[in-house]
Amino acid sequence: MSFPKLPSAISIAALLVAFASLASSCSLNPPPFDEAAWKAKAQSADPALLYAPHFKDDLFFNPWMPNEDKGFFSVLRWRLTASQEYTEEEKTYLPRVVDKAKERILAMPQGDFIMWVGHATFLIRLNGEYWLIDPIFSERAVVVKRKTPPGITAEALKEVAPTLRVIITHNHYDHLDTSSIEDLPENTKMFVPLGLKEYVRDMNKRDVTEMDWWQEIHCGNGITLVCLPMQHWSRRFGQEPRETLWASYMLITPKITIYLGGDTGYFIGYKEIAKCYPHIDYALLPTTAYHPRWFMHYNHMDVDEALESFNDLNARYMIPQQWGTFHLGDEPPGYSILELKKKIAERKLDASRFIIMDIGEILPIPK
């Protein structure tokens, strides 16, 4: 999630305050949105375009479906549009936070695991090596304050993972946090989408590898990293919209395959990814910032679409991510998990295939 280009974070904060003030006095009705038509459009895209050129006129784009860039006035309309009502439980529900992560990791020197740090940040140990996904330990993502603390701090992380590999999915502030990157050891190896190498090098990181969609890198120790498409965009202060690429990834070892879904709307790519990588064990899929649908549908999946993508990927387990930390859409940060649990029960799905983690929880990966 990002914001249109403005002179500074202070400007963003001032405008959001102004929006809130205006919204309290003059709420607009939401524009119409046809969910069925959107679903048909997303599923009818040509999968061959997932391999098409995606860089033109110095900008990246999603060739299977034109980007729906949201400008300043679209954001303004969203902020002035009446939100749906949420129950008290929906407003207050948050994940549990498990403490003493450092001690628990040091107490298990062997074995692979996945630990949810919060939001889209995960610490993954594979074959004794540590991978960190979209690290953000900061109190805020620009102006949006955390609702829950990170499951481990950057300082504690240095003690459990003296060598670290970091994957960045895109440049939005809740996924690429400058202070969090700067706090990691200088010898950290970074993997980023195209266009972000020099930007990340300025964060006191010298070992930075850019990747394009469908590119594979053999990282040694039996681990392969694959960069894959996702349906999103990029923007950041000092960078134009879509100046840098956005990506999902696959981490593959001879025994385990983990799909890192990044931040994305639903798209035809999931079915194609499953064809290319048919034995996915864990799919980390986003469930956040999807209300209002008329504004969010292109860039963020709702729970129905997250379930659809999980089915398309044919993965063994789904781990919801990006919930419970920041309030980014209209819906409260824990809302998506209550909705997910409800739909699992209503559809009589196998609940054991949905791993809803606590912040700081360590999920051992069976051999």
Side-chain angles (χ1 to χ4, degrees), residues 92-107:
T92 59
Y93 182 78
L94 289 171
R96 190 169 69 100
V97 180
V98 186
D99 63 2
K100 298 184 184 293
K102 180 183 74 172
E103 292 79 3
R104 288 182 286 119
I105 294 172
L106 293 175

Side-chain angles (χ1 to χ4, degrees), residues 41-324:
K41 181 180 179 181
Q43 294 186 335
S44 65
D46 183 359
L49 294 177
L50 293 161
Y51 301 93
H54 43 275
F55 186 70
K56 184 179 180 180
D57 299 329
D58 296 326
L59 298 176
F60 293 95
F61 64 99
N62 299 315
W64 57 89
M65 186 181 293
N67 291 71
E68 295 183 3
D69 292 334
K70 298 295 193 299
F72 172 78
F73 289 104
S74 293
V75 176
L76 178 61
R77 181 173 185 178
W78 164 35
R79 291 302 185 185
L80 293 178
T81 298
S83 170
Q84 73 177 62
E85 294 295 322
Y86 299 96
T87 67
E88 191 61 27
E89 180 188 21
E90 291 167 347
K91 291 177 182 178
T92 59
Y93 182 78
L94 289 171
R96 190 169 69 100
V97 180
V98 186
D99 63 2
K100 298 184 184 293
K102 180 183 74 172
E103 292 79 3
R104 288 182 286 119
I105 294 172
L106 293 175
M108 50 181 300
Q110 303 297 324
D112 298 342
F113 67 73
I114 299 171
M115 186 184 86
W116 188 33
V117 181
H119 197 54
T121 308
F122 286 82
L123 179 65
I124 300 174
R125 187 166 74 190
L126 294 174
N127 294 350
E129 294 186 348
Y130 289 91
W131 294 79
L132 187 63
I133 318 303
D134 285 350
I136 178 167
F137 306 104
S138 300
E139 182 69 13
R140 296 179 183 271
V142 189
V143 298
V144 184
K145 188 176 181 179
R146 298 185 82 104
K147 299 292 185 179
T148 46
I152 192 169
T153 65
E155 197 62 33
L157 191 59
K158 293 176 184 178
E159 298 185 46
V160 300
T163 59
L164 191 62
R165 299 183 178 194
V166 173
I167 296 171
I168 300 297
T169 61
H170 63 299
N171 73 353
H172 287 165
Y173 290 92
D174 54 325
H175 294 260
L176 177 58
D177 181 64
T178 300
S179 64
S180 298
I181 299 298
E182 290 176 341
D183 285 344
L184 298 175
E186 188 175 350
N187 66 349
T188 298
K189 185 169 181 59
M190 306 286 302
F191 297 90
V192 302
L194 291 179
L196 277 174
K197 181 174 182 177
E198 294 306 316
Y199 195 82
V200 171
R201 281 174 62 89
D202 288 339
M203 299 177 189
N204 193 32
K205 298 296 172 286
R206 294 293 172 260
D207 192 349
V208 185
T209 300
E210 284 186 341
M211 297 186 70
D212 196 4
W213 293 343
W214 304 108
Q215 180 181 354
E216 295 188 4
I217 293 179
H218 298 288
C219 302
N221 201 24
I223 300 174
T224 298
L225 178 65
V226 186
C227 182
L228 295 164
M230 69 179 188
Q231 185 164 293
H232 208 59
W233 67 308
S234 63
R235 189 167 205 170
R236 199 173 177 94
F237 296 126
Q239 294 181 346
E240 293 298 318
R242 299 185 283 113
E243 185 177 318
T244 66
L245 189 59
W246 44 95
S248 61
Y249 294 87
M250 199 80 73
L251 268 173
I252 304 172
T253 76
K255 297 180 180 179
I256 197 77
T257 298
I258 302 173
Y259 177 65
L260 311 172
D263 195 0
T264 180
Y266 178 79
F267 74 125
I268 197 69
Y270 293 115
K271 294 179 180 179
E272 188 68 15
I273 289 169
K275 290 179 183 178
C276 298
Y277 303 95
H279 303 293
I280 301 171
D281 295 288
Y282 298 91
L284 280 53
L285 295 171
T287 55
T288 194
Y290 52 83
H291 286 173
R293 288 290 288 158
W294 67 267
F295 184 81
M296 298 291 192
H297 65 279
Y298 182 90
N299 291 307
H300 295 125
M301 296 191 291
D302 66 6
V303 168
D304 285 324
E305 290 173 319
L307 289 169
E308 186 76 20
S309 66
F310 177 48
N311 184 64
D312 290 349
L313 288 166
N314 196 29
R316 291 177 64 194
Y317 301 103
M318 171 182 164
I319 300 178
Q321 56 145 325
Q322 291 186 218
W323 68 280

